[in-house]
Amino acid sequence: MVAQMKVMLATPDDTIHFGRTLGGELRAGDLVLLAGPLGAGKTTMARGIAAGMGVAGRVSSPTFVLARVHPAGRSGVSLVHVDAYRLGGDLSQLDDLDLDTELAEAAVVVEWGEGVAERLSDDHLIVRLERHDDDTRTVILEPHGTWAARLAEARLAG
């Protein structure tokens, strides 16, 4: 496994920019899990990812619908944006979303997915966001499976 990558982000705009860069790396079949406490910037990161993928539709937290599909844009890959917060570890509801089928055709980004959604694919990237008192953020990327090699080659730092 490649060592974790750590990146400091000074502003929410930096979070969007970093997400945009990450989104440019995504392809169909990718699973990204966004982890961190309330207010850490998970939805902001998801907005950046969507912008980097060029998908259609406004990206907002899908808390009440659990998942939103954003049709493919310039990347040719759709984005499935999931908020697993309300699932509370209930794997049956995650199964009801049929995300493993979506993974064949789209990139899937799951907020609050750590501890729940990893089982969808051995190949996944955990993006941990930590918000500090001065409103800066630390992003820690934890690669699993093929993400170890991909992360080593990705242009995400800085």
Side-chain angles (χ1 to χ4, degrees):
M1 179 169 120
V2 158
Q4 295 178 343
M5 178 185 289
K6 186 182 281 193
V7 178
M8 297 299 295
L9 304 172
T11 67
D13 285 343
D14 291 338
T15 304
I16 289 175
H17 177 73
F18 183 85
R20 186 177 290 131
T21 304
L22 176 58
E25 298 283 332
L26 296 185
R27 54 191 183 222
D30 282 341
L31 175 62
V32 177
L33 309 178
L34 303 178
L38 283 169
K42 293 178 294 297
T43 301
T44 301
M45 180 69 68
R47 281 188 193 108
I49 290 169
M53 293 177 67
V55 299
R58 181 179 169 272
V59 174
S60 59
S61 181
T63 300
F64 298 106
V65 295
L66 297 181
R68 283 196 175 94
V69 178
H70 298 276
R74 68 179 175 273
S75 71
V77 177
S78 297
L79 169 67
V80 178
H81 181 205
V82 180
D83 188 330
Y85 183 77
R86 288 191 320 140
L87 298 181
D90 182 355
L91 300 180
S92 67
Q93 288 187 46
L94 187 66
D95 288 339
D96 290 345
L97 294 175
D98 204 21
L99 293 177
D100 25 8
T101 300
E102 297 286 351
L103 267 172
E105 302 169 5
V108 176
V109 173
V110 184
E111 295 185 38
W112 301 98
E114 188 175 24
V116 178
E118 296 96 330
R119 66 192 185 91
L120 294 171
S121 176
D122 290 335
D123 298 321
H124 60 274
L125 179 65
I126 298 175
V127 178
R128 294 184 200 287
L129 292 116
E130 299 172 359
R131 182 177 176 188
H132 307 290
D133 289 339
D134 63 358
D135 212 28
T136 62
R137 285 164 177 77
T138 302
V139 174
I140 302 167
L141 302 173
E142 182 182 304
H144 295 270
T146 60
W147 269 103
R150 288 178 63 191
L151 189 59
E153 295 178 13
R155 296 183 183 149
L156 295 171

